[in-house]
Amino acid sequence: MRRILHGSLYAACIFFLLVSPTRADSGTEGICMTVQQGIRLHVDGMYGGYPHSVLRDAVLQGVACPSDEAELHAFSLIAESAPHLRISVTRPMGQGQQGSISARLFAQGHFIIGERMSLSPLARSQSPFSVSSDINLMMARLWSDLALRISHGGPVIP
């Protein structure tokens, strides 16, 4: 009986280890659908023990799309097929712990541009939805930096 119980427990552990990565990888969302073909967003990371679905919803709430003329022009240069944006949020468990967010934009299999910043003091001590304003600021910087690089004659793909 003990052998059957241990074998079943072992099989259940293997099953959940194999299933959870595929479920996390299927979490790609379509965002900025009014701009060209949109962007495929993937959210990575953890936020102090909250479920990943809560973190993903907070990130979706904070994402900013290219908006002004220069940003839209720069985006059109990489939007032949839908670019891929990967946002990572890390905040360890515990009140006031440091954390960071990063965004990396890929197009046609190439890295285009990225931004990284520390979480604001508010986002370090609140629920995942407090990180939305940090993500919005980081995304605004990402689009601005891409537009600036293109306006100075820099390469689309560095």
Side-chain angles (χ1 to χ4, degrees):
M1 183 69 179
R2 185 182 250 189
R3 236 185 216 168
I4 293 172
L5 182 61
H6 285 300
S8 298
L9 184 59
Y10 180 73
C13 288
I14 296 293
F15 173 76
F16 286 112
L17 287 173
L18 293 174
V19 169
S20 56
T22 57
R23 190 173 54 132
D25 288 340
S26 66
T28 302
E29 305 277 344
I31 60 169
C32 302
M33 299 310 281
T34 59
V35 182
Q36 302 280 332
Q37 295 177 0
I39 301 171
R40 294 175 299 153
L41 172 68
H42 184 81
V43 178
D44 287 326
M46 58 83 126
Y47 194 93
Y50 282 87
H52 188 266
S53 60
V54 174
L55 176 61
R56 187 185 74 243
D57 292 345
V59 169
L60 285 169
Q61 185 177 351
V63 170
C65 299
S67 57
D68 72 15
E69 189 176 326
E71 294 171 356
L72 290 169
H73 170 70
F75 184 77
S76 71
L77 298 175
I78 62 168
E80 190 173 298
S81 62
H84 185 93
L85 178 65
R86 183 173 287 270
I87 295 181
S88 297
V89 180
T90 303
R91 187 182 76 77
M93 291 180 81
Q95 192 75 1
Q97 292 291 317
Q98 292 288 346
S100 64
I101 53 176
S102 67
R104 296 173 311 233
L105 183 65
F106 299 89
Q108 302 163 12
H110 299 281
F111 173 77
I112 303 299
I113 196 166
E115 292 285 331
R116 180 177 176 86
M117 63 185 263
S118 295
L119 291 176
S120 66
L122 176 67
R124 289 184 215 151
S125 61
Q126 302 294 321
S127 77
F129 287 95
S130 62
V131 80
S132 295
S133 61
D134 288 354
I135 290 170
N136 191 276
L137 175 63
M138 181 184 62
M139 291 302 302
R141 288 179 183 169
L142 183 130
W143 298 125
S144 175
D145 289 351
L146 180 62
L148 189 63
R149 183 173 77 199
I150 299 300
S151 71
H152 286 99
V156 175
I157 301 173

